[in-house]
């Protein structure tokens, strides 16, 4: 089961975990949640995206993971619009019969998402907004999955 | 042929529009040539698109390199490196 | 924050995620959940443990992870007693400022738990109970963290 | 000196008890020697502890190898390889 969702509303982990755990054959679920760091001086974070292209890119990432690790479920939920410190930006989950596949696929989902999906972060600190710069480490993290 | 250009993040802010419809000349066949063509139209566009090393593109919603073809494309997006997740 | 819990009651993910996400400086939470596989022919799974020694072993694993990856929070919650297919056996979480630390620490927590904590599984299939055998892969997975 | 022995999983089932208090001779100084001493008491114990390759131990709640000392220990646990998680 592939689940892709991009929306302005808060991410509901209870629902997402229920879906991930409920996939056929699931003995292991690995998840990653990204949050607006509450102590980083950021007052608000705003996420912009490329509607249509975003969902297609996320679906490709999830389908690649599901095929590579024979997942029962691959979930990517990403929030857009303004959000406050402590709120969830992204949630990914991988469900598999055993843990190695779930853990690896989860890392793959978030690493690929960081480089392959058209989202842009703008943060406001001390009343000043600036676009977040891409990190070199993100490309390296995504590249390690190419083999 | 009419082409929709979409701008995101600081490219959008610098361009002052999120989207425009353009009709580049027939010899404009790659993303790089399209960026040059857009930038050459006026000083503001030139400035907005000056930092070519930090520009990325998608043609018909697929991420591509700057040398990718735009022949027959309906939509080209220009934006900075992505920072989601 | 180190959170260790061993108990007979169902694992409440909402509470556990709230604790993991609420740790100081958290921008990333990686989790692993192990479930009784619902389609595996197992009617019930029973978990036995070594009271006292179990909690101490889990605390050591969590403290090692917290120190190694500078975690804001390390959680290990493990259920004991009888459980039904689809139910959660174990939940681990690692909270960190950035994702690489959270993902690696999460894998470490579950890999080390598999070899270092005194739990034993007994499953009932077709009315017959048998003790689950340890898997060779578990020792290998734990060994890869020794460096 | 009195020593509490704890058994878990199939070791407990085969021994027929979860716990017992024993007083081994002073020359029984390691886990392996303790297992030999327990197994030598009667045929049932001998059978229950026969599969030495699949026995693991903890001394005073710390996992140890079979050659670990039990001198001064208060509690020794014997069990199969663990299978949690």
């Amino acid at each position: 089961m592939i689940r892709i969702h991009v929306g302005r509303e808060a991410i509901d982990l209870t629902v997402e975990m229920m879906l991930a755990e409920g996939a056929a054959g699931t003995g292991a679920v690995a998840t990653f949640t990204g949050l607006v760091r509450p102590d980083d001086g950021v007052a608000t974070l705003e996420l912009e995206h490329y509607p249509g292209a975003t969902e297609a890119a996320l679906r490709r990432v999830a389908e690649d993971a599901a095929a590579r690790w024979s997942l029962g479920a691959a979930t990517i939920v990403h929030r857009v619009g303004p959000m406050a410190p402590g709120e969830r930006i992204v949630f990914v989950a991988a469900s598999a019969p055993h843990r190695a596949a779930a853990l690896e696929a989860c890392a793959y989902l978030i690493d690929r998402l960081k480089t392959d999906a058209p989202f842009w972060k703008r943060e406001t600190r001390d009343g000043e907004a600036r676009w977040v710069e891409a990190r070199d480490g993100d490309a390296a993290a995504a590249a390690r999955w190419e083999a | 042929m009419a082409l929709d250009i979409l701008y995101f993040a600081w490219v959008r802010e610098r361009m002052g529009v999120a989207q425009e419809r353009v009709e580049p000349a027939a010899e404009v066949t790659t993303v790089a040539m399209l960026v040059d063509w857009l930038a050459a139209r006026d000083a503001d566009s030139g400035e907005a698109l000056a930092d070519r090393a930090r520009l990325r593109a998608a043609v018909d919603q697929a991420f591509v390199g700057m040398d990718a073809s735009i022949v027959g494309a309906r939509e080209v997006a220009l934006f900075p490196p992505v920072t989601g997740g």
Side-chain angles (χ1 to χ4, degrees), chain A, chain B:
Chain A
M1 188 201 71
I2 304 288
R3 171 160 162 74
I4 302 298
H5 182 72
V6 178
R8 298 178 69 85
E9 70 281 12
I11 297 172
D12 184 337
L13 288 192
T14 306
V15 168
E16 298 306 334
M17 281 304 293
M18 196 186 68
L19 292 170
E21 291 183 349
T26 298
V29 179
T31 78
F32 177 84
T33 306
L35 308 157
V36 185
R37 262 184 300 285
D39 50 2
D40 205 23
V42 173
T44 57
L45 187 74
E46 177 124 17
L47 257 290
E48 178 171 332
H49 79 305
Y50 183 174
T54 310
E55 290 82 351
L58 296 180
R59 183 165 296 278
R60 216 150 36 229
V61 170
E63 283 174 349
D64 287 353
R68 185 162 170 174
W69 284 280
S70 302
L71 303 180
T75 300
I76 306 179
V77 180
H78 204 296
R79 204 165 156 200
V80 291
M83 52 204 87
E87 291 194 302
R88 297 176 192 121
I89 304 167
V90 64
F91 173 83
V92 307
S95 305
H98 297 285
R99 80 181 183 288
L103 289 166
E104 283 184 33
C106 174
Y108 176 92
L109 289 172
I110 188 65
D111 281 350
R112 284 275 313 272
L113 181 152
K114 289 263 179 187
T115 57
D116 288 20
F119 291 104
W120 299 274
K121 281 183 183 140
R122 185 168 62 168
E123 56 184 35
T124 304
R125 273 174 208 272
D126 304 323
E128 223 169 300
R130 67 169 195 96
W131 293 95
V132 174
E133 294 283 327
R135 297 167 64 212
D136 290 342
D138 289 339
R144 79 189 163 106
W145 297 106
E146 285 158 28
Chain B
M1 177 114 172
L3 189 61
D4 287 324
I5 315 290
L6 276 56
Y7 304 107
F8 292 102
W10 55 254
V11 182
R12 171 178 55 70
E13 286 185 336
R14 291 182 195 178
M15 290 300 290
V17 293
Q19 185 159 1
E20 60 176 323
R21 179 158 291 180
V22 298
E23 298 220 22
E27 63 265 28
V28 174
T29 58
T30 69
V31 175
M33 292 163 91
L34 175 66
V35 173
D36 287 343
W37 183 87
L38 291 165
R41 294 177 306 172
D42 55 74
D44 286 352
S45 296
E47 212 168 298
L49 300 171
D51 193 355
R52 304 290 161 89
R54 290 166 71 216
L55 278 188
R56 300 291 181 273
V59 172
D60 289 335
Q61 307 207 343
F63 282 30
V64 294
M66 284 290 154
D67 55 352
S69 171
I70 59 164
V71 176
R74 301 171 56 170
E75 180 178 301
V76 174
L78 298 173
F79 45 78
V82 303
T83 55

